[in-house]
């Protein structure tokens, strides 16, 4: 039987969240310190721990079959690699930042400037799109230090909270793109490995739906049930069960965590009482 080879980042936040997702979909990995490859105990999967920037080439060459990788890295280096699933974690953005002392008013202020970055293709495409000529300095590592040592007038780098920019007296002035972790697939994948990947993707979708949803239970007066049902999106339709107290029913449904408080306010306004909200581990459709 074939074994699917999945690459994940060797260390860091993306690594930790990737391994957590694999665990949540039922794949048990035994890996030691500094181990570069590990096999799953209960699933036909091998996990390769690689440098993020190397993964796109391994996907292209078929050295690995799939990867959990930052979308920004694929945009920079992964031309021709398909994204099977967006995973909703490790969110960041690729941004232009300049010294706080710079009087930046528009993108035209980058004309003729020196820009330090680890994403030259992404930056050049952005500059070309906006008709800006600038000089790129390719740096692998601490890009944010470049303006402070006189190497560049601006930088382009990934930003999460913005604290690193703040510490280096930089300010964010343009956002080039938003990024998150994705499941990427090698263009060289046979039918047997595709079947394994389909199972993994199905499990991931179930976990991700659960993370984005909440299970809600409430008590409703029977004469207000239809009004309350109209507020609840549900999966197909809410479950309604009679309570021991005459004239009342229990309503069960699923709501998006992003709409949580708005939905709760509407439910209360429509007579709902005893509202309970619970996390969902997985949601299989």
């Amino acid at each position: 039987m074939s074994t699917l080879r999945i690459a994940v980042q060797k260390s860091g936040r993306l690594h930790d969240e990737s391994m957590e997702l694999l665990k949540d979909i039922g794949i048990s990995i035994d890996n030691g310190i500094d181990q570069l490859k590990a096999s799953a105990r209960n699933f036909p999967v091998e996990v390769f721990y690689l440098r993020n920037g190397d993964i796109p080439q391994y996907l292209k060459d078929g050295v690995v079959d799939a990867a959990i990788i930052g979308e920004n890295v694929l945009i920079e280096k992964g031309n021709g690699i398909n994204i099977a699933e967006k995973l909703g974690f490790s969110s960041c953005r690729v941004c232009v930042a300049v010294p706080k002392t710079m009087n930046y008013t528009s993108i035209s202020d980058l004309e003729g400037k020196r820009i330090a970055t680890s994403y030259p293709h992404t930056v050049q495409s952005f500059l070309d799109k906006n008709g800006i000529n600038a000089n790129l300095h390719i740096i692998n590592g601490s890009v944010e230090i470049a303006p402070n040592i006189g190497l560049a007038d601006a930088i382009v780098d990934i930003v999460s909270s913005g604290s690193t920019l703040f510490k280096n007296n930089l300010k964010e002035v343009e956002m080039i793109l938003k990024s998150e972790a994705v499941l990427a697939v090698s263009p060289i994948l046979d039918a047997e490995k595709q079947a394994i990947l389909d199972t993994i993707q199905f499990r991931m979708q179930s976990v991700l739906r659960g993370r984005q949803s909440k299970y809600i239970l409430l008590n409703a007066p029977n004469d207000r049930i239809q009004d309350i049902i109209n507020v609840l999106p549900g999966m197909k339709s809410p479950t309604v069960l009679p309570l021991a107290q005459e004239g009342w029913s229990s309503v069960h449904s699923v709501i998006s965590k992003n709409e949580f408080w708005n939905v709760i306010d509407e439910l209360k306004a429509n007579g709902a009482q005893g509202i309970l909200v619970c996390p969902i581990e997985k949601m299989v459709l």
Side-chain angles (χ1 to χ4, degrees), residues 27-47:
I27 296 178
S28 300
I29 306 292
D30 290 323
N31 63 300
I33 297 173
D34 295 329
Q35 192 172 345
L36 298 180
K37 185 177 76 168
S39 298
R41 296 195 306 267
N42 59 346
F43 204 80
V45 160
E46 283 184 328
V47 177

Side-chain angles (χ1 to χ4, degrees), residues 52-187:
N52 215 26
D54 294 337
I55 292 175
Q57 191 60 52
Y58 287 140
L59 285 167
K60 290 178 183 178
D61 294 341
V63 175
V64 295
D65 306 306
I68 300 176
I69 186 174
E71 187 178 7
N72 57 297
V73 180
L74 279 189
I75 291 171
E76 176 65 24
K77 298 184 175 182
N79 185 36
I81 297 174
N82 290 328
I83 293 175
E85 193 77 35
K86 293 197 174 188
L87 302 177
F89 58 82
S90 290
S91 297
C92 64
R93 53 197 184 275
V94 177
C95 296
V96 181
V98 300
K100 291 179 181 177
T101 55
M102 180 177 175
N103 183 24
Y104 186 94
T105 57
S106 71
I107 193 172
S108 61
D109 291 331
L110 297 176
E111 180 70 30
K113 295 293 192 295
R114 299 166 299 163
I115 302 176
T117 186
S118 301
Y119 300 93
H121 297 298
T122 302
V123 177
Q124 192 60 60
S125 176
F126 172 75
L127 294 173
D128 291 345
K129 180 181 176 181
N130 288 279
I132 302 297
N133 292 309
N135 300 311
L136 299 188
H137 292 261
I138 302 172
I139 297 178
N140 294 315
S142 301
V143 174
E144 62 276 355
I145 199 173
N148 292 330
I149 61 175
L151 183 63
D153 305 301
I155 69 165
V156 173
D157 201 9
I158 57 171
V159 177
S160 295
S161 66
S163 62
T164 302
L165 295 182
F166 180 81
K167 291 174 184 176
N168 286 275
N169 294 312
L170 300 172
K171 60 183 178 182
E172 182 182 330
V173 292
E174 301 284 348
M175 184 179 71
I176 295 179
L177 59 90
K178 290 183 178 180
S179 174
E180 63 185 89
V182 298
L183 177 65
V185 183
S186 169

